[in-house]
Amino acid sequence: MKRVALITGASRGIGRAIALQLAADGYAVAVNYRTHADEAEALCDRIRQQGGTAAAFGCDVTDEQAVSAMVQAVTQQLGEISVLVHNAGIAQQKLFTDLSADEWHRMMAVHVDGAFYTCRAVLPQMIARHEGNIVLVSSMWGQVGGSCEVHYSTAKAALIGLTKALAKEVGPSSVRVNCVAPGVIRTEMTAGLGEDTLTELAQEAPLCRLGTPEDVAKAVSFLVGDGASFITGQVLAPNGGIVI
Ligand code: NAP
């Protein structure tokens, strides 16, 4: 039986690439989405056409009950979960002084509450089996802070703290917890920045290019694989060297 990987926010962008990569690595993949059911289903079709196993699960990761129900449904349909990648995310550029409380709380809810709900829902299975891997998707802005993205940077920094603390708590149960902190990656999230800004950001990176979703997916694949069996509580940064 294939091991099972649940990826949140896998209907598009980085999450989609992670789902394709982990399916190629031999996992049965649970594709979480919030609004883009068609894209999630199309991704599952593609994985199945390539001989893999995949199923789509709609759920807003900010909804505690819905996350529990999703984890139950994934377990029933595909089997117990070996890998959780909390990738679902939103972005917003705005002056700190213009942020509403709702905007602040929504940012924390998707990234931080979502990580809490998903990790807490999968961990009992992992701890009982003494086997499991969690990867949280942070950002370079969680490492260095981004102007006009204070709420985003705060949420992404929180994920790094969560990674380190949780890694210590569940390490004795043979569950590893790691984090990726991507640089600037070409997805719908960054498309709104405009080509001029994206070109400038690419030039700022020592490797002189933007990242691709596949660059991040390969880092995740490494972290959950046997080659990383002695690595936990770490932040791996597929970022072209823009933050060193
Ligand atoms: P994206 O293209 O905008 O895709 C975001 C994904 O998250 C979509 O699948 C979306 O689902 C899902 N999502 C959003 N809110 C959700 C919720 N409440 N519940 C469940 N799913 C939700 O973004 P991306 O660029 O691939 O980013 C993926 C992750 O990487 C995010 O955490 C982002 O912060 C992080 N990141 C991105 C970059 C970058 O440069 N792109 C850099 C560093 C870190 P639906 O479409 O179905 O609604």
Side-chain angles (χ1 to χ4, degrees), residues 112-131:
V112 187
D113 296 359
F116 170 51
Y117 297 147
T118 52
C119 290
R120 196 186 50 177
V122 300
L123 271 168
Q125 307 179 0
M126 292 182 176
I127 290 168
R129 290 197 319 274
H130 262 251
E131 178 259 330

Side-chain angles (χ1 to χ4, degrees), residues 60-220:
D60 184 332
V61 296
T62 68
D63 181 336
E64 182 179 7
Q65 304 305 326
V67 168
S68 297
M70 173 176 68
V71 166
Q72 257 188 327
V74 172
T75 307
Q76 273 165 11
Q77 222 170 302
L78 298 177
E80 291 209 336
I81 296 166
S82 290
V83 169
L84 165 68
V85 184
H86 179 52
N87 160 84
I90 54 171
Q92 182 185 36
Q93 280 81 40
K94 206 164 178 180
L95 280 175
F96 181 67
T97 45
D98 288 344
L99 282 178
S100 71
D102 280 351
E103 288 168 331
W104 176 270
H105 291 309
R106 183 71 191 164
M107 192 61 76
M108 299 306 142
V110 176
H111 297 101
V112 187
D113 296 359
F116 170 51
Y117 297 147
T118 52
C119 290
R120 196 186 50 177
V122 300
L123 271 168
Q125 307 179 0
M126 292 182 176
I127 290 168
R129 290 197 319 274
H130 262 251
E131 178 259 330
N133 266 287
I134 293 174
V135 177
L136 304 181
V137 179
S138 177
S139 161
M140 66 187 235
W141 302 120
Q143 297 176 294
V144 298
S147 167
C148 297
E149 291 191 273
V150 174
H151 55 344
Y152 181 81
S153 301
T154 304
K156 291 306 200 184
L159 294 184
I160 294 173
L162 199 165
T163 298
K164 293 181 179 185
L166 189 59
K168 289 184 179 177
E169 186 167 317
V170 300
S173 302
S174 304
V175 178
R176 296 190 294 111
V177 186
N178 287 293
C179 183
V180 286
V184 186
I185 311 297
R186 262 197 193 279
T187 66
E188 282 176 46
M189 185 176 275
T190 47
L193 295 173
E195 276 308 312
D196 289 350
T197 306
L198 288 172
T199 303
E200 278 169 28
L201 286 164
Q203 283 163 357
E204 272 181 47
L207 292 180
C208 303
R209 70 168 175 89
L210 300 177
T212 64
E214 291 71 26
D215 289 322
V216 182
K218 283 176 188 143
V220 171

Side-chain angles (χ1 to χ4, degrees), residues 2 19-21 23-24 43-53:
K2 285 183 178 179
L20 284 166
Q21 178 66 53
L43 173 60
C44 292
D45 284 346
R46 178 170 162 182
I47 290 170
R48 286 191 285 261
Q49 278 160 15
Q50 292 171 345
T53 305

